[in-house]
Amino acid sequence: DSGVTQTPKHLITATGQRVTLRCSPRSGDLSVYWYQQSLDQGLQFLIQYYNGEERAKGNILERFSAQQFPDLHSELNLSSLELGDSALYFCASNLGLSSGRYNEQFFGPGTRLTVL
Amino acid sequence: QKEVEQDPGPLSVPEGAIVSLNCTYSNSAFQYFMWYRQYSRKGPELLMYTYSSGNKEDGRFTAQVDKSSKYISLFIRDSQPSDSATYLCAMNGGATNKLIFGTGTLLAVQP
């Protein structure tokens, strides 16, 4: 158990809908990362937050947004869902130390999103 | 061309075999190289990491990095059925902590 929790475990919804995925980082971690894992694209970095502020952005669609709250939990909002958004969404956390130093990321169990 | 290339497999070996998993990359700014193991329906977990070029050994696992060739490897000795999983290489460097992952290699160790 990494100490990172994600809810819900599974989510089934329809095209055009909006969903919210939730992540609680490990105790003491300030940084949260969101990843999307699909069969054809592998694990893709979406976005990073550090202590409430956006730190880095990856291949995140405009229909997706995220935020990190004062208690450091994070939410990933996916809107106008399409069939191709079906994937596993992982959250990871770490201390978020400055770049140039190794910084292991601890992954949660993921949320499996199915868009019908 | 992807920044990190990894053979997706699947790779099937008998118990006790030596397994070699590899990734190539194109970005010379990468400094930290990691191997994650992901069991089915679970999140990735860090197995090994190395900084810059060289070897690192941990039990049955050895990670190698050759920055001149932009090539990294993970060797598993005396493979066990419990090693059956997807192995993902990952790397980062430069201005952010963003990890770039390979697509993963599915390994099956047959008892």
Side-chain angles (χ1 to χ4, degrees):
Chain A
D1 183 358
S2 67
V4 178
T5 60
Q6 289 186 249
T7 56
K9 282 187 178 179
H10 303 280
L11 203 48
I12 301 174
T13 188
T15 54
Q17 294 299 304
R18 172 189 167 96
V19 297
T20 298
L21 313 183
R22 183 187 168 104
C23 168
S24 292
R26 291 188 321 156
S27 175
D29 283 353
L30 297 176
S31 201
V32 168
Y33 308 76
W34 285 98
Y35 292 86
Q36 179 193 58
Q37 187 176 40
S38 58
L39 281 174
D40 57 344
Q41 292 289 323
L43 203 60
Q44 300 282 313
F45 168 73
L46 295 178
I47 198 164
Q48 177 199 0
Y49 277 82
Y50 175 78
N51 204 20
E53 301 285 330
E54 182 184 304
R55 172 69 68 87
K57 229 171 184 178
N59 302 321
I60 188 166
L61 299 171
E62 285 192 13
R63 300 183 285 107
F64 296 1
S65 64
Q67 53 184 326
Q68 186 178 28
F69 294 86
D71 67 352
L72 300 176
H73 90 272
S74 177
E75 293 181 357
L76 179 67
N77 300 295
L78 315 176
S79 61
S80 303
L81 284 168
E82 301 175 0
L83 295 177
D85 297 328
S86 296
L88 269 169
Y89 291 84
F90 287 103
C91 165
S93 77
N94 62 16
L95 291 172
L97 298 173
S98 60
S99 63
R101 297 182 57 182
Y102 174 65
N103 210 350
E104 178 181 352
Q105 293 183 22
F106 296 86
F107 282 77
T111 293
R112 182 174 294 277
L113 173 66
T114 302
V115 183
L116 302 175
Chain B
Q1 184 191 5
K2 290 184 179 179
E3 277 191 287
V4 179
E5 300 275 1
Q6 184 176 9
D7 186 339
L11 183 61
S12 182
V13 301
E15 183 175 353
I18 297 174
V19 176
S20 172
L21 304 166
N22 311 291
C23 288
T24 58
Y25 64 96
S26 57
N27 189 342
S28 56
F30 289 146
Q31 299 177 69
Y32 297 97
F33 303 90
M34 286 137 266
W35 287 94
Y36 279 80
R37 178 175 60 194
Q38 185 176 19
Y39 290 112
S40 181
R41 299 183 179 277
K42 300 285 187 183
E45 56 175 335
L46 183 69
L47 200 57
M48 299 277 287
Y49 88 90
T50 52
Y51 171 69
S52 195
S53 285
N55 293 358
K56 187 171 184 177
E57 189 172 319
D58 184 3
R60 295 184 297 111
F61 299 90
T62 300
Q64 285 186 353
V65 175
D66 181 349
K67 288 193 73 178
S68 63
S69 302
K70 296 191 178 69
Y71 188 87
I72 70 170
S73 301
L74 177 71
F75 297 95
I76 307 175
R77 291 184 298 281
D78 188 24
S79 56
Q80 303 295 309
S82 58
D83 295 327
S84 298
T86 296
Y87 290 80
L88 300 142
C89 63
M91 46 202 79
N92 71 349
T96 75
N97 289 313
K98 180 173 74 170
L99 284 178
I100 307 297
F101 281 86
T103 50
T105 299
L106 179 61
L107 171 67
V109 181
Q110 308 297 334

